[in-house]
């Protein structure tokens, strides 16, 4: 267990989290390097001898130190913007192991990617293929691409993060793919080398991913028969994690073993793009209780972290387990809310919690993925610090923003 109580104090690896909170202040994100590496290695190891590429989905947590940790471990990266490309290169990631996904890449982003020598593009429209071809031609390069197909399977997840149905903006209808691969032969600066799909996120029952893999492999057989040199299949990310005590998330090893049963004999390199399942349960958001407040019908625990720091509860009604950094007797039922001027600003609703009081420190768990990266300066709140733990040592990997950061680039009207 990476996060656990020891002598009534909540630890991350071999470090008491209250030491970090007292020193860095709150709110503050804390990540375990051991947890991140464990998850990445679980993917890598489960593929064994099968040619594979585990491309960490940068959008889940794009801190340079997190990327560096994974780059040093040999990870590839799945990016969705020129900014993410910049981060991966700055962190020392291998450009050849970069997959550039996303539904709307600009010409400037495509040019930067080609100049950097990225491995491949996952493209989602013919219009974009034409632009990649044109830019590659100008640079005198051949660009490799996969079409992201939409296999029309339903991942049973939150509607905002389900992406594999026909009426979603993502991908190309799998039935249209052969015609598009055929027409793409006219693009002389492109080479079709793969097929990709990604059906959604926080998927706890992964049978739809297996179903999608089956459909994509059938498509690949057809494309190969039509003379396309398809060498890799990219099955996206999306594996879910346990957010609640007792919630059962599939193990990475079992998931990949089941996936391998479908793909082992196809003679392809298998790429996957996990994000949440690598960093999600490796991070917590530390916050301090400011006040307790009672309304006629509710108990509120007002804390110094808010929806601008962690938007998942407000955006997806997501559940994050909240624990005090010092084990506490007694129980209350409360809404845990932040200082932002929105009723939607809550971290938990009607939650049974240990009986905390003003001044107590809390950990909002499972906050390593889609936490800091979705933070904002709403209400002119400075974004929190980020800390990386390694064993019993820790360091700040992003300083807390200052008020000067808030107004950088703004000019008062004269
Ligand atoms: C978001 C995304 C991922 C990562 O999804 P997780 O649920 O975090 O594993 C992978 N690939 C693509 C194309 C994505 O959009």
């Amino acid at each position: 267990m990476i996060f656990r109580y020891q002598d009534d104090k909540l630890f991350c690896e071999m470090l008491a989290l209250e030491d970090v909170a007292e020193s860095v202040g709150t709110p503050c994100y804390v990540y375990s390097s051991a947890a991140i590496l464990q998850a990445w290695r679980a993917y890598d190891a489960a593929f064994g001898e099968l040619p594979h590429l585990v491309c960490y989905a940068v959008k889940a947590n794009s801190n340079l130190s997190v990327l560096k940790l994974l780059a040093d471990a040999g990870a590839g990266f799945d990016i969705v913007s020129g900014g993410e490309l910049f981060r991966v290169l700055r962190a020392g990631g291998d450009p050849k192991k970069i997959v550039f996904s996303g539904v709307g890449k600009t010409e400037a982003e495509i040019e930067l990617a080609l100049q950097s020598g990225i491995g491949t593009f996952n493209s989602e429209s013919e219009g974009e293929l034409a632009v990649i071809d044109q830019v590659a031609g100008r640079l005198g390069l051949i660009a490799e691409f996969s079409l992201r197909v939409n296999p029309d399977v339903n991942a049973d997840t939150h509607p905002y993060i389900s992406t594999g149905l026909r009426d979603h903006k993502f991908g190309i209808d799998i039935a249209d793919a052969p015609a598009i691969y055929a027409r793409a032969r006219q693009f002389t600066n492109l080479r079709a080398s793969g097929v990709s799909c990604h059906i959604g996120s926080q998927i706890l029952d992964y049978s739809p991913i297996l179903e999608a893999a089956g459909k994509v492999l059938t498509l690949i057989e057809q494309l190969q028969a039509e003379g396309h040199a398809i060498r890799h299949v990219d099955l996206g990310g999306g594996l879910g994690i346990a957010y609640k005590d007792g919630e059962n998330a599939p193990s990475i090893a079992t998931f990949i073993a089941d996936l391998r049963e479908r793909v082992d004999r196809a003679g392809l390199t298998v790429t996957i793009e996990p994000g949440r399942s690598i960093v999600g349960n490796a991070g917590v958001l530390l916050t301090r209780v400011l006040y307790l407040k009672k309304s006629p019908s509710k108990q509120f625990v007002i804390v110094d972290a808010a929806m601008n720091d962690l938007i998942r509860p407000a955006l997806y009604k997501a559940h994050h387990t909240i624990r005090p950094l010092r084990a506490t007797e007694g129980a209350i039922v409360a809404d845990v809310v932040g200082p932002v001027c929105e009723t939607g600003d809550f971290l938990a609703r009607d939650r049974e919690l240990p009986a905390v009081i003003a001044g107590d420190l809390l950990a909002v768990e499972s906050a390593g993925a889609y936490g800091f990266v979705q933070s904002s300066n709403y209400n002119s709140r400075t974004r929190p610090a980020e800390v990386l733990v390694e064993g019993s040592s820790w360091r700040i990997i992003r300083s807390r923003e200052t008020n000067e950061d808030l107004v950088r680039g703004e000019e008062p009207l004269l």
Side-chain angles (χ1 to χ4, degrees):
M1 285 292 279
I2 301 278
F3 294 93
R4 71 197 186 288
Y5 284 104
Q6 193 176 308
D7 304 328
D8 283 349
K9 293 182 183 176
L10 192 61
F11 272 66
C12 169
E13 299 191 24
M14 284 141 72
L15 184 76
L17 283 167
E18 66 179 20
D19 295 350
V20 178
E22 297 295 356
S23 166
V24 179
T26 53
C28 160
Y29 278 94
V30 181
Y31 312 122
S32 157
S33 56
I36 294 170
L37 289 174
Q38 244 173 46
W40 188 81
R41 288 187 187 125
Y43 274 108
D44 195 45
F47 278 106
E49 299 296 299
L50 185 70
H52 65 277
L53 186 57
V54 182
C55 289
Y56 167 65
V58 174
K59 74 176 193 278
N61 183 326
S62 56
N63 184 285
L64 284 181
S65 293
V66 171
L67 300 181
K68 173 79 163 52
L69 200 64
L70 289 164
D72 288 350
F77 295 93
D78 172 57
I79 60 167
V80 293
S81 72
E84 288 190 351
L85 174 59
F86 173 80
R87 284 179 175 277
V88 171
L89 297 176
R90 178 63 69 87
D94 179 355
K96 292 191 295 299
K97 293 185 187 170
I98 295 177
V99 176
F100 196 166
S101 299
V103 63
K105 306 168 193 76
T106 66
E107 192 172 328
E109 288 175 320
I110 290 165
E111 181 164 345
L112 182 66
L114 285 170
Q115 282 169 335
S116 310
I118 69 155
T120 192
F121 290 90
N122 285 346
S123 187
E124 309 198 16
S125 65
E126 281 187 276
E128 188 182 85
L129 286 181
V131 175
I132 300 173
D133 177 62
Q134 190 194 330
V135 178
R138 198 165 70 221
L139 297 174
L141 301 168
I142 300 291
E144 292 204 8
F145 77 93
S146 300
L147 275 191
R148 173 170 171 182
V149 299
N150 192 328
D152 200 33
V153 300
N154 195 8
D156 179 23
T157 184
H158 191 284
Y160 288 7
I161 52 176
S162 171
T163 59
L165 281 176
R166 209 164 255 159
D167 61 353
H168 292 146
K169 73 173 175 183
F170 297 100
I172 283 172
D173 196 300
I174 194 162
D176 297 337
I180 296 175
Y181 276 95
R183 285 200 291 276
R185 289 185 205 264
Q186 66 172 313
F187 295 127
T188 51
N189 309 297
L190 296 187
R191 185 158 56 222
S193 60
V195 178
S196 80
C197 76
H198 169 77
I199 62 167
S201 197
Q202 185 51 17
I203 296 169
L204 289 172
D205 167 10
Y206 58 72
S207 47
I209 304 183
L210 302 181
E211 188 189 339
K215 289 187 173 188
V216 169
L217 288 176
T218 306
L219 169 65
I220 289 177
E221 279 172 23
Q222 181 186 344
L223 292 172
Q224 288 172 332
E226 289 167 2
H228 298 281
I230 304 296
R231 290 177 284 104
H232 62 89
V233 60
D234 181 339
L235 296 167
L239 190 68
I241 61 168
Y243 279 95
K244 290 181 190 162
D245 284 343
E247 190 172 33
N248 265 330
S251 87
I252 291 168
T254 315
F255 167 55
I256 296 301
D258 281 350
L259 205 57
R260 284 190 59 173
E261 269 183 34
R262 314 273 160 143
V263 298
D264 259 357
R265 280 177 306 279
L268 299 163
T269 297
V270 180
T271 300
I272 43 158
E273 307 168 346
R276 188 191 312 269
S277 52
I278 289 187
V279 289
N281 273 331
V284 296
L285 172 63
L286 302 184
T287 182
R288 194 182 285 277
V289 178
L290 297 174
Y291 307 106
L292 297 190
K293 174 170 150 173
K294 245 189 156 87
S295 80
S297 60
K298 265 196 193 275
Q299 172 76 59
F300 292 99
V301 174
I302 302 168
V303 299
D304 65 2
M307 66 188 289
N308 75 293
D309 304 302
L310 178 66
I311 202 173
R312 300 191 68 261
L315 187 60
Y316 314 115
K317 295 203 174 80
H319 177 104
H320 287 265
T321 299
I322 299 178
R323 278 185 237 279
L325 297 197
R326 288 251 183 172
T328 307
E329 299 288 304
I332 55 172
V333 174
D335 283 13
V336 180
V337 301
V340 162
C341 306
E342 297 265 353
T343 304
D345 178 28
F346 59 88
L347 296 174
R349 277 204 159 147
D350 298 320
R351 182 72 62 81
E352 189 170 317
L353 293 170
V356 297
I357 56 169
D360 281 356
L361 290 162
L362 308 177
V364 183
E365 298 192 334
S366 312
Y370 306 107
F372 183 88
V373 287
Q374 293 201 71
S375 66
S376 77
N377 294 119
Y378 187 42
N379 278 213
S380 283
R381 289 168 52 84
T382 53
R383 283 184 293 174
E386 292 176 285
V387 164
L388 187 69
V389 175
E390 287 182 285
S392 56
S393 70
W394 60 274
R395 68 203 157 81
I396 295 177
I397 55 172
R398 191 180 205 274
S399 323
R400 182 179 310 286
E401 286 181 343
T402 64
N403 287 341
E404 283 302 325
D405 292 328
L406 289 179
V407 295
R408 175 159 307 128
E410 291 181 32
E411 294 295 340
L413 210 54
L414 294 176

